[in-house]
Amino acid sequence: MERILIHTEFIKLDSLLKLAGLVETGGEAKVLIQAGQVLVNGEVCEMRGKKLRPGDTVTLEGRTVTVADGQ
C-alpha cells in the first residue's frame, strides 16, 4: 500500500488520483469515478470532489493508496 502525503487539511478525490499517478488527467479521473470504479475506504464513491483526509484509503484497479499527514 502506498502513502500519499498531503500538507493541507484535505485533498479532493480527483486530485488525489492524479497526484498518486493512478490516472494521467482529470478527465480520466472523472470517467473512472462516475463509472463507480473507485473505492474510498472500501466503498464505491462517485463524488469527484469527495474530501479525503489523512487515514482515508483509495483503491483503483487493485492499487490502494492511503492519505497521510505530511505536516
Side-chain angles (χ1 to χ4, degrees):
M1 185 178 309
E2 299 173 59
R3 289 175 24 131
I4 299 297
L5 299 177
I6 62 170
H7 301 281
T8 56
E9 179 185 349
F10 64 86
I11 185 170
K12 292 185 179 179
L13 178 56
D14 56 352
S15 297
L16 178 82
L17 293 175
K18 290 190 296 183
L19 181 64
L22 296 173
V23 298
E24 292 185 18
T25 66
E28 183 181 358
K30 176 182 175 181
V31 169
L32 293 172
I33 293 167
Q34 290 180 338
Q37 294 185 24
V38 179
L39 302 179
V40 174
N41 298 325
E43 297 182 12
V44 172
C45 181
E46 296 179 355
M47 298 185 317
R48 284 174 48 197
K50 169 83 174 159
K51 293 179 180 177
L52 304 172
R53 292 180 166 77
D56 287 333
T57 61
V58 175
T59 304
L60 174 64
E61 298 175 350
R63 282 184 61 194
T64 301
V65 295
T66 301
V67 179
D69 188 353
Q71 295 183 11

